[in-house]
Amino acid sequence: MSAQTKPLLAADRVRLYLTLVPYLLEHGQVSLAEAAEEFGVTPQEMRGMVEKLTVIGLPGDSGYWQQPQEMFDINWDLLDEDDVIEITNDVALRRVPRFTAREAAALLAGLQMVAAVPAVSDSGLIAGLISKLSRGAANAPAEVVVAPSAVDHVRQVVARGVQEGVAVSFTYQAPDAAPTTRTVDPVQILITNAQWYLQGWCHLREAMRTFHLDRVSDPQLTDIPITHAGDSVPEAFSAVDDEGEVRVVLPERLAPLLGGFLSADNVETRDGVLEARLRLADPRGIKRIAARFGGALEVKDPGIARTATREWAAAGLALYRHPQHDD
């Protein structure tokens, strides 16, 4: 006996009814055969389920009797003549809690940003979610448009490179360094702390690298086939471009304060002093890390990191020397 002709248990029928009504409401009009195939029942069973919907409804004020508007109803003529199901009274199911226009707008903006990632840009899932959110919000907002950013063109080129299986080339401007031309086998684009990054095999460095998209310009497709797409990708910023490396020195006893920044391949210890090469997306970010150590951590290089740390500390000290007072 096939699954479609197997008798339904009571528990199965309850589950079917719980999902049948939302399904019918979403589709508007649906053929009996299509609905039966969707739910794995025979057309005769589906007809019986739809007919039984008309005896289901909200409890009446008296607790026993129900008014017609409190019952499910269907388009009987459409069902009898064309074998098409249409619910004409949904018993207030449309009055369920919905996203506010503001909530929907925030989610729609986020989904549009996610849609920019090459791995999901061609998926119908995001488009479907955007469509459902637009319909499902109370006072649904007008179509949300995310203002283009400076990295949108870069993402588009990278997406094409991934789809066509070719490397991309671009100019990369690292902090306090001369621009370099890079050719990269793109693997993925990720967003961290609202910043976009490209991870891929750098032909110049002959290794996986992470590039801040704000520093990328003039991206172009090449005719070089991607050969390192299957290589393991490092965790974000665990092996970023060389220009993001910052060398620091601190007492060994304070090493635990650096936590995940330290690994066996970037630390040297001698006479109780630890020297570490920290890989950061932006070497100037070391200033916030150094502030945790109360002067016990010394930034050695690069110069841009030392300058940023010194200026950060001087600005903080100035607040104590010249406190601001509200008039």
Side-chain angles (χ1 to χ4, degrees):
M1 183 177 292
S2 67
Q4 289 194 337
T5 59
K6 187 180 296 182
L8 291 172
L9 300 176
D12 295 328
R13 290 186 180 276
V14 171
R15 283 193 291 269
L16 284 177
Y17 275 114
L18 290 174
T19 54
L20 175 61
V21 174
Y23 169 80
L24 295 176
L25 290 176
E26 180 177 353
H27 286 74
Q29 293 184 357
V30 61
S31 70
L32 199 63
E34 182 182 344
E37 182 179 358
E38 179 72 23
F39 285 85
V41 298
T42 65
Q44 292 77 11
E45 287 175 321
M46 177 56 65
R47 178 183 288 273
M49 293 172 60
V50 172
E51 291 174 347
K52 288 184 176 65
L53 277 178
T54 60
V55 298
I56 300 174
L58 295 174
D61 293 336
S62 64
Y64 297 97
W65 304 104
Q66 294 168 307
Q67 300 298 318
Q69 67 271 17
E70 296 173 339
M71 307 284 289
F72 281 106
D73 202 0
I74 61 174
N75 188 330
W76 288 100
D77 292 338
L78 203 59
L79 180 64
D80 293 336
E81 297 174 6
D82 301 320
D83 286 341
V84 172
I85 311 167
E86 180 185 30
I87 293 181
T88 56
N89 189 38
D90 54 33
V91 194
L93 281 184
R94 297 186 190 276
R95 298 199 297 269
V96 297
R98 296 172 181 265
F99 289 119
T100 65
R102 185 174 182 179
E103 292 170 335
L107 289 170
L108 287 168
L111 285 171
Q112 289 195 22
M113 180 173 289
V114 170
V117 178
V120 297
S121 58
D122 292 333
S123 170
L125 176 62
I126 298 299
L129 287 173
I130 290 175
S131 177
K132 287 184 178 181
L133 270 175
S134 298
R135 296 195 309 266
N139 301 317
E143 182 179 357
V144 174
V145 177
V146 178
S149 69
V151 302
D152 283 351
H153 179 55
V154 180
R155 291 201 304 262
Q156 293 169 3
V157 173
V158 170
R160 288 182 55 197
V162 172
Q163 293 162 8
E164 299 179 18
V166 296
V168 296
S169 68
F170 51 81
T171 299
Y172 192 65
Q173 176 67 69
D176 200 29
T180 58
T181 299
R182 302 297 181 97
T183 300
V184 175
D185 289 359
V187 175
Q188 68 175 0
I189 282 182
L190 61 138
I191 184 171
T192 301
N193 295 327
Q195 300 294 316
W196 289 96
Y197 299 89
L198 163 65
Q199 288 189 308
W201 176 270
C202 178
H203 291 216
L204 178 65
R205 302 302 186 194
E206 297 185 343
M208 280 290 175
R209 287 292 186 261
T210 301
F211 300 94
H212 197 307
L213 290 195
D214 280 338
R215 301 175 190 152
V216 171
S217 61
D218 193 25
Q220 298 178 6
L221 292 179
T222 72
D223 56 1
I224 304 173
I226 291 176
T227 57
H228 292 84
D231 291 13
S232 61
V233 179
E235 295 183 4
F237 314 130
S238 62
V240 297
D241 215 3
D242 292 340
E243 291 86 350
E245 188 174 81
V246 178
R247 185 166 64 96
V248 299
V249 174
L250 68 157
E252 184 180 7
R253 58 185 174 80
L254 298 180
L257 295 179
L258 285 177
F261 286 100
L262 302 182
S263 61
D265 63 346
N266 69 350
V267 171
E268 294 182 6
T269 304
R270 182 180 303 170
D271 299 330
V273 176
L274 181 145
E275 179 179 306
R277 295 183 177 275
L278 310 183
R279 302 183 178 99
L280 305 177
D282 186 338
R284 289 169 294 189
I286 191 64
K287 62 188 180 184
R288 294 180 176 84
I289 298 174
R292 306 174 189 172
F293 291 82
L297 181 146
E298 181 183 358
V299 179
K300 304 295 286 188
D301 53 59
I304 189 174
R306 289 177 58 85
T307 300
T309 304
R310 181 173 60 252
E311 292 177 350
W312 174 275
L317 184 60
L319 293 176
Y320 288 94
R321 292 174 176 173
H322 308 286
Q324 297 179 351
H325 299 284
D326 293 332
D327 293 335

